[in-house]
Amino acid sequence: MKIVKKGNEIAANLYSDEKLRRSLIGLRYRLLGAEIDKGILFKLFVYIILINVAFIYMKPILYMVTTMVKDARNILDPTVIWVPRSIFLGHLQQASEMLNYTKSFLISVSLASSVAVLQVFSCAIAGYAFARLEFPFKKVWGALLLFTFIMPPQITILPSIMLFKEFGWLNTFLPMVVPALFGHGLKGAMFVIIYRSFYSTLPKELDEAARMDGAGPFRLFFRVMFPLSRSATVVVVLFSFVWNWNDFYFPSLFMFTAENVPLSITLARMAGEMKLAEGAGEITVYAEAIKMAASFLIIMPLLVVYLFAQRWFIEGVERTGLVE
């Protein structure tokens, strides 16, 4: 009887050890996964990295939003850092009045939209020519295009100011709008390269079929090629609009004494006036909150545009090869 009982105990222990071993193998499988990128530990590591990176980018926006809605009690309370105890929207109204928001907003929309539309057509034509047509000194023009892309704008800004001054274009929008008509302007060379890369991926049979139907280069471009480049056009429109909206460098140089200026200039002027007021001893606890409210009013239209256009923008970036 003792031998049988001892045998049952050994069998029970072996069964228990086998069950524990299977449990450990299952736990290891869940933690590490069948492949290195399938386990819980790897996914947890990736999410920690993504959350930290997202927080780095989101922290300025969170600080801006939480600061602009603080009233005097929350601003003076050292225990209130991120979450205010009450919401105050008076800083938005004051910032809007100081920015002359409606007028400057319409100027920014007009300037950024007109430049974006002109760059779409001019850069699309230039990109199509580089990708599909043969013309004299094509490689030389291509090298010059790349040179304008890598050349810092500070190199050409002084002769540009002298040229536009001779034309009588200073303190007007023409120094930003007219170059866009010819495929230049802010980041114009990059947009030509985007269109060139896109048109290079299209099959040459499209050209041959269109020419057999009697289409010339212009008809081939406007009736066949340009409608096919919707994804590249979305990317160029959004990039051009956002960069021209945020641009402070060129408007500050070409419109430094103009009365009607875009939001980027009015924000700089407002910050300068507030700094002078602080230097004169007129320090107010609302200064930081008003600056944050003004910054929010300027980026809010871009957030709305991205909210509605993000799907087409991401598809366009993928199809034009910008992520490769």
Side-chain angles (χ1 to χ4, degrees):
M1 292 296 293
K2 290 182 179 178
I3 296 175
V4 173
K5 187 177 180 180
K6 190 173 182 180
N8 291 335
E9 291 177 354
I10 294 173
N13 290 334
L14 290 175
Y15 177 75
S16 178
D17 293 342
E18 181 65 20
K19 187 177 180 181
L20 178 61
R21 190 178 68 83
R22 290 182 179 177
S23 299
L24 292 175
I25 293 175
L27 180 61
R28 179 185 176 186
Y29 179 79
R30 289 189 181 89
L31 292 177
L32 300 180
E35 300 177 2
I36 189 62
D37 59 340
K38 303 296 183 185
I40 295 176
L41 289 178
F42 181 82
K43 293 179 180 178
L44 182 63
F45 175 76
V46 171
Y47 277 112
I48 291 175
I49 296 295
L50 291 177
I51 290 173
N52 280 279
V53 173
F55 180 74
I56 292 173
Y57 284 97
M58 291 297 296
K59 184 179 178 181
I61 298 177
L62 294 175
Y63 175 78
M64 176 180 63
V65 174
T66 56
T67 303
M68 74 177 187
V69 296
K70 290 179 180 177
D71 56 10
R73 187 179 58 182
N74 287 289
I75 293 174
L76 297 175
D77 189 347
T79 61
V80 177
I81 299 176
W82 287 103
V83 182
R85 293 190 174 89
S86 59
I87 303 299
F88 179 68
L89 301 179
H91 301 313
L92 281 171
Q93 183 179 359
Q94 188 170 355
S96 176
E97 293 173 356
M98 295 180 71
L99 287 173
N100 197 0
Y101 188 71
T102 303
K103 179 182 178 182
S104 299
F105 173 80
L106 293 176
I107 292 174
S108 291
V109 170
S110 302
L111 178 61
S113 301
S114 58
V115 173
V117 171
L118 291 174
Q119 282 186 322
V120 163
F121 285 101
S122 59
C123 296
I125 293 173
Y128 170 73
F130 276 113
R132 316 291 287 197
L133 302 180
E134 295 296 333
F135 52 89
F137 308 109
K138 179 179 178 180
K139 292 184 179 179
V140 176
W141 294 115
L144 292 175
L145 175 68
L146 291 176
F147 181 70
T148 60
F149 176 66
I150 62 176
M151 183 175 57
Q154 290 81 4
I155 294 177
T156 60
I157 191 62
L158 183 57
S160 298
I161 291 175
M162 296 173 65
L163 178 66
F164 294 141
K165 183 179 180 182
E166 187 175 347
F167 289 164
W169 290 358
L170 291 183
N171 295 325
T172 68
F173 302 113
L174 294 178
M176 279 77 74
V177 175
V178 174
L181 182 62
F182 299 98
H184 198 57
L186 187 63
K187 307 291 183 184
M190 178 180 174
F191 300 145
V192 175
I193 293 173
I194 290 175
Y195 275 113
R196 179 186 178 278
S197 301
F198 177 80
Y199 289 129
S200 298
T201 61
L202 297 179
K204 294 184 178 179
E205 287 76 8
L206 286 173
D207 301 53
E208 298 172 357
R211 288 193 179 95
M212 290 180 66
D213 291 338
F218 287 99
R219 186 180 176 189
L220 173 61
F221 172 76
F222 286 107
R223 299 293 297 274
V224 179
M225 292 297 176
F226 188 68
L228 291 175
S229 62
R230 188 178 62 179
S231 57
T233 300
V234 170
V235 173
V236 171
V237 167
L238 290 178
F239 272 148
S240 177
F241 183 85
V242 172
W243 286 339
N244 283 281
W245 180 280
N246 293 327
D247 184 36
F248 171 77
Y249 183 69
F250 288 114
S252 64
L253 293 174
F254 297 137
M255 306 176 65
F256 50 90
T257 58
E259 183 179 356
N260 299 321
V261 292
L263 283 169
S264 58
I265 304 298
T266 56
L267 178 64
R269 290 179 178 178
M270 190 194 84
E273 293 174 359
M274 296 183 71
K275 190 173 183 180
L276 289 176
E278 292 177 5
E282 302 175 4
I283 301 176
T284 171
V285 295
Y286 301 119
E288 189 72 16
I290 294 173
K291 290 178 184 177
M292 295 299 106
S295 301
F296 176 78
L297 289 174
I298 290 179
I299 69 166
M300 183 180 61
L302 299 182
L303 295 178
V304 174
V305 170
Y306 181 74
L307 180 65
F308 287 100
Q310 59 173 330
R311 182 169 66 86
W312 298 288
F313 177 69
I314 294 173
E315 289 179 359
V317 169
E318 292 176 349
R319 291 180 181 178
T320 52
L322 291 178
V323 296
E324 294 180 358

